[in-house]
Amino acid sequence: MTGTSTAQDLFAGIPVADFDHSLAWYRQFFGAEPSFYPNDIEAVWTLTKHSYVYIELLPDRAGRSMLMIMAADLDTTVAGLTRRGLEPHRIENYEQGMRKVVYADPDGNEISYGGVPTATFGPSSAAS
């Protein structure tokens, strides 16, 4: 994107085939109830002040989405998901310690958490 962004909020949508089944899975994934329900086929979770993830009953489009959320502390985030009974579909490792931990919902949509080691942001990384 070039120029000045006019974006104010971000809503990342995930199409699902079975709303109730997916709602239960995303409650487990986020460890919380949805922030709100715009209608009877959508549920929205607030991630930050201006970013949201929502599921919507769209059976013909289900299973084809992927999104990644950058975690402030990836290890703590993944540990919380494990405590809630979810295991990663796969883990991808990149340069400088960047990791992407991918989870698959009941339809096969991929929702991931990404992050880098905390030390990457510390004062010692500037001397490297």
Side-chain angles (χ1 to χ4, degrees):
M1 179 188 272
T2 60
T4 304
S5 174
T6 59
Q8 179 176 327
D9 297 303
L10 173 67
F11 281 82
I14 301 171
V16 299
D18 180 327
F19 184 78
D20 292 331
H21 187 69
S22 294
L23 180 60
W25 190 90
Y26 279 93
R27 283 176 175 145
Q28 186 177 5
F29 182 83
F30 288 118
E33 291 294 317
S35 302
F36 61 96
Y37 296 87
N39 53 56
D40 60 352
I41 63 166
E42 290 180 83
V44 181
W45 286 264
T46 304
L47 302 185
T48 67
K49 186 176 179 181
H50 296 283
S51 61
Y52 309 85
V53 171
Y54 69 96
I55 62 170
E56 183 175 357
L57 181 62
L58 294 167
D60 293 343
R61 295 179 59 186
R64 296 186 185 126
S65 69
M66 54 192 229
L67 62 94
M68 184 172 71
I69 303 161
M70 293 303 290
D73 182 335
L74 183 59
D75 292 331
T76 299
T77 300
V78 170
L81 286 156
T82 301
R83 279 192 303 278
R84 292 192 299 275
L86 296 175
E87 293 298 325
H89 179 66
R90 72 178 180 278
I91 298 172
E92 299 174 7
N93 296 295
Y94 299 93
E95 293 180 9
Q96 304 200 0
M98 170 65 184
R99 286 186 300 145
K100 179 177 168 184
V101 183
V102 181
Y103 295 84
D105 78 1
D107 292 306
N109 293 303
E110 292 185 354
I111 183 165
S112 309
Y113 278 105
V116 294
T118 306
T120 301
F121 296 110
S124 61
S125 65
S128 303

